[in-house]
Amino acid sequence: MKALTETEITEAVRKGRREGQDEMVCRYAERVFAMIVRQVPDVMDAQELTQDTFLRAFSHIDSYDPQRASLSTWLCRIAYRLTLDFLKRRRPMIVSIEDTQVWQTDISNEELEAELSTGREQRISQLMEIVDTLPDDERMLLTLYYFEDRPLTEIAYITGIEASALANRLYRTRKKIFKKLKIDN
């Protein structure tokens, strides 16, 4: 049996055909789950959010525009919004005083890259601990950019934020991580 194209999957889902839904889930569930589980540490919650993503996709398939994004990117946009909503309900937003001072340190992109990409096991462990303390939207941006290896244009579609603003946010987030690494050492 030949695999369905994205267009065929979309049409089958629009018509309520089970094979379109099955193919969509089989093809994209693992990627959607991987994105969510990096943000939601409880596997059961991540699985539920993954299911919710596909249920939402099935019921809103008419809003999918293949001219704007691939089916995978559209599904990640749905997962992104559901995950952030879930995290907002679960965790109050906390802004530390040191976060407001991070912009005062002038660091070049080269310095940031050199410091953050050091591959020592201890450094990686420190980085993961710091990333876990970041606000949900910043962790999600790092996940999409570094773990999912998505370009800023796709992340802009997923998040609904302009690519240039995302580039600035990514720089500020990396700068924040850099500063926390310096404080911890």
Side-chain angles (χ1 to χ4, degrees):
M1 182 176 171
K2 86 173 181 105
L4 299 175
T5 66
E6 282 193 358
T7 304
E8 292 169 333
I9 292 170
T10 304
E11 281 309 307
V13 172
R14 276 193 179 106
K15 293 176 182 175
R17 293 197 341 246
R18 181 80 178 172
E19 68 268 11
Q21 294 172 344
D22 289 346
E23 183 68 23
M24 185 186 287
V25 171
C26 286
R27 193 174 296 178
Y28 302 110
E30 190 174 311
R31 186 169 194 177
V32 169
F33 176 77
M35 185 184 94
I36 293 171
V37 81
R38 286 188 189 106
Q39 306 303 313
V40 179
D42 183 73
V43 174
M44 296 295 279
D45 288 336
Q47 288 172 339
E48 188 173 325
L49 285 165
T50 301
Q51 289 174 354
D52 291 348
T53 297
F54 285 96
L55 291 173
R56 176 99 28 111
F58 298 154
S59 64
H60 293 89
I61 193 70
D62 289 332
S63 69
Y64 170 62
D65 180 1
Q67 301 301 320
R68 294 192 64 210
S70 69
L71 193 53
S72 171
T73 301
W74 182 70
L75 289 167
C76 285
R77 180 182 177 130
I78 294 169
Y80 169 82
R81 290 181 175 170
L82 288 173
T83 302
L84 282 185
D85 287 347
F86 173 83
L87 292 170
K88 285 176 189 172
R89 288 191 309 270
R90 290 284 174 116
R91 186 178 357 174
M93 185 176 156
I94 300 169
V95 178
S96 77
I97 293 173
E98 80 179 31
D99 288 349
T100 59
Q101 297 172 353
V102 77
W103 328 122
Q104 297 172 0
T105 309
D106 193 26
I107 304 167
S108 72
N109 269 330
E110 291 77 23
E111 276 183 285
L112 276 174
E113 193 61 41
E115 186 66 28
L116 297 178
S117 55
T118 302
R120 297 186 331 252
E121 283 187 39
Q122 179 184 3
R123 176 55 53 107
I124 292 169
S125 177
Q126 285 178 309
L127 282 170
M128 295 310 287
E129 287 175 21
I130 292 169
V131 167
D132 286 344
T133 66
L134 293 174
D136 301 330
D137 60 335
E138 291 176 357
R139 280 185 319 155
M140 186 66 86
L141 175 59
L142 292 173
T143 295
L144 292 169
Y145 190 76
Y146 290 106
F147 291 104
E148 296 281 323
D149 200 28
R150 291 184 182 269
L152 285 175
T153 52
E154 271 189 38
I155 299 171
Y157 176 80
I158 291 168
T159 62
I161 300 169
E162 292 291 324
S164 59
L166 286 172
N168 288 332
R169 187 175 291 179
L170 185 61
Y171 175 75
R172 287 192 313 264
T173 301
R174 290 174 50 184
K175 198 170 173 179
K176 184 188 301 185
I177 293 170
F178 175 83
K179 184 174 181 184
K180 287 182 180 185
L181 278 172
K182 289 296 185 190
I183 290 170
D184 290 346
N185 288 332

